Amino acid sequence: SVVSAVSYYSFLFRTVMYHKLHLFFYAGVVAHILLNGLASCFTPTPPQTSPATNLPNLLYTWKSDQQIRYQVAGPEDGAPVLLVHGLFVNSDHWRKTILSLANEGYRAYAIDLWGCGYSSKPPRDSLVAQSVNGEQKRFTKDYPEIMKGAELGSACGTKTRIRDVEKSHPLKSPYNFYTWSELLQDFCNQVIQPKTSVTLVSNSIGTISALQALIDQPNSFNGIFIVSPNFRELHSAEVPLSQISMPVIRSVQKLLREKGQSLFDTLAKPNTVKQILKEPYAVQSAVDDVLVDVLLTPLLTEGASQVVFDTLSYSAGPLPELQLSDVRKPVWITYGEEDPWTPGARVEALQDKECVEKVVSLPGVGHCPHDEAPELVEPLLFEFLNRLSRKG
């Protein structure tokens, strides 16, 4: 009968939907287990305390499941300062600065950027990693992936060059400055939770992440103190004769990603790392065994080498000279006169930027003045912090 047929097909439909719903449910459970398993595989366990600072290693869960290691020192009611490290290092590189800030009554935080130190390092193409990619929805008509005709400085400090600046990671990797900028903003909002604005202090390539955070969320920060900015010599806009040289560079980058693990393993030895560090360090006595240990050990954790190769392939992204044009907060810059990586004349030329109030060179110091000669850097930093407090 018609009623029987309707009942039969209704029963059949409910049965099919029941099994589909269960299938979706179990698929979701399996995906959750796999994603959690992937996250845990690439999430290292830090020692209970830092060998460099004797401070507890604290963990912040970012974006639901990503581990971020950080350290904090100083009174809870102290003015907050956030320290942002440079390339291939971690929060322990601020071992001297964080303790000095605490001794002066500041509440100092040092963070391991995502993919660095003891923070999570999932593979770049995984769903876990792509879910936090700061380049997603970043580029618009008003903020295009390629900035045409940008004016950049030069090593001599007196000439300028007009270049097109590619901003998106060529591999679509989530390990990029926009992701790190979002991390710094979230860390500020969720961990520091400041009653007053946070001061940023950055070294080297960490400056670009810090400047981007300052641009993206200006109300959270009152200024930035930059130690040895990095002009990103492997950026496609910085490489001479880029139409000829970039294809060669990209081939080398691809080779490193695919075949570079053995080279990485060869170089990732204490004695080798100590020799490598002595290139940017003019004050070579600062390259002690503790420094080598705290920088090398996290680089031996799962996923670290791939983040290194990924970053070496990052011949794009924002550039500091362009970022400084968009900053409306006070900026002080210091650099070492013996820095082999950062042209002093180009740093001095940054004084032409409206936000840059002071540029100070440090004699006899290399690329890491905060660790090489804290007795030169810290008085300047405290002067900057006092200047901000007077303004506030």
Side-chain angles (χ1 to χ4, degrees), residues 78-311:
V81 179
L82 178 55
L83 306 168
V84 186
H85 65 77
L87 188 67
F88 306 146
V89 296
N90 57 71
S91 59
D92 282 323
H93 204 210
W94 295 107
R95 56 184 177 159
K96 299 169 184 175
T97 313
I98 190 171
L99 297 177
S100 295
L101 284 165
N103 289 337
E104 290 294 321
Y106 294 95
R107 183 71 166 171
Y109 296 81
I111 188 174
D112 286 4
L113 293 174
W114 184 64
C116 304
Y118 289 103
S119 292
S120 297
K121 307 173 183 69
R124 71 166 180 271
D125 294 326
S126 66
L127 292 176
V128 170
Q130 287 297 329
S131 69
V132 303
N133 192 340
E135 287 189 351
Q136 293 179 7
K137 301 180 181 179
R138 165 68 62 163
F139 303 111
T140 64
K141 182 179 179 181
D142 295 327
Y143 194 83
E145 287 191 57
I146 299 177
M147 183 177 183
K148 299 285 188 179
E151 184 175 324
L152 301 174
S154 61
C156 68
T158 57
K159 297 180 180 179
T160 58
R161 301 164 297 123
I162 303 301
R163 295 287 187 271
D164 293 343
V165 177
E166 299 177 67
K167 295 179 182 176
S168 64
H169 199 300
L171 304 178
K172 305 303 178 188
S173 170
Y175 295 104
N176 60 66
F177 296 115
Y178 301 108
T179 303
W180 293 320
S181 165
E182 290 184 5
L183 167 59
L184 296 176
Q185 295 170 61
D186 291 341
F187 185 84
C188 177
N189 296 334
Q190 297 170 16
V191 178
I192 301 178
Q193 298 181 335
K195 294 179 182 177
T196 59
S197 298
V198 175
T199 303
L200 291 161
V201 180
S202 64
N203 172 234
S204 190
I205 205 169
T207 297
I208 300 173
S209 301
L211 284 173
Q212 195 60 49
L214 184 56
I215 293 166
D216 291 343
Q217 194 170 294
N219 292 336
S220 293
F221 306 102
N222 58 7
I224 181 170
F225 184 88
I226 298 172
V227 182
S228 301
N230 182 284
F231 295 105
R232 308 211 46 227
E233 293 80 1
L234 286 180
H235 195 293
S236 59
E238 292 289 337
V239 173
L241 303 172
S242 60
Q243 290 186 333
I244 299 172
S245 55
M246 278 312 301
V248 177
I249 291 172
R250 294 205 191 282
S251 296
V252 174
Q253 292 168 334
K254 184 173 185 291
L255 183 63
L256 283 173
R257 293 195 306 273
E258 295 176 353
K259 308 289 185 182
Q261 186 62 49
S262 60
L263 175 61
F264 181 90
D265 294 339
T266 300
L267 296 176
K269 301 288 191 296
N271 288 338
T272 307
V273 169
K274 180 173 281 191
Q275 292 305 312
I276 292 171
L277 285 170
K278 287 181 177 179
E279 179 186 349
Y281 273 66
V283 182
Q284 298 196 351
S285 60
V287 184
D288 55 28
D289 291 340
V290 173
L291 179 68
V292 172
D293 175 53
V294 296
L295 298 189
L296 174 59
T297 301
L299 284 171
L300 302 178
T301 59
E302 191 72 28
S305 62
Q306 292 307 308
V307 176
V308 168
F309 296 137
D310 216 55
T311 307

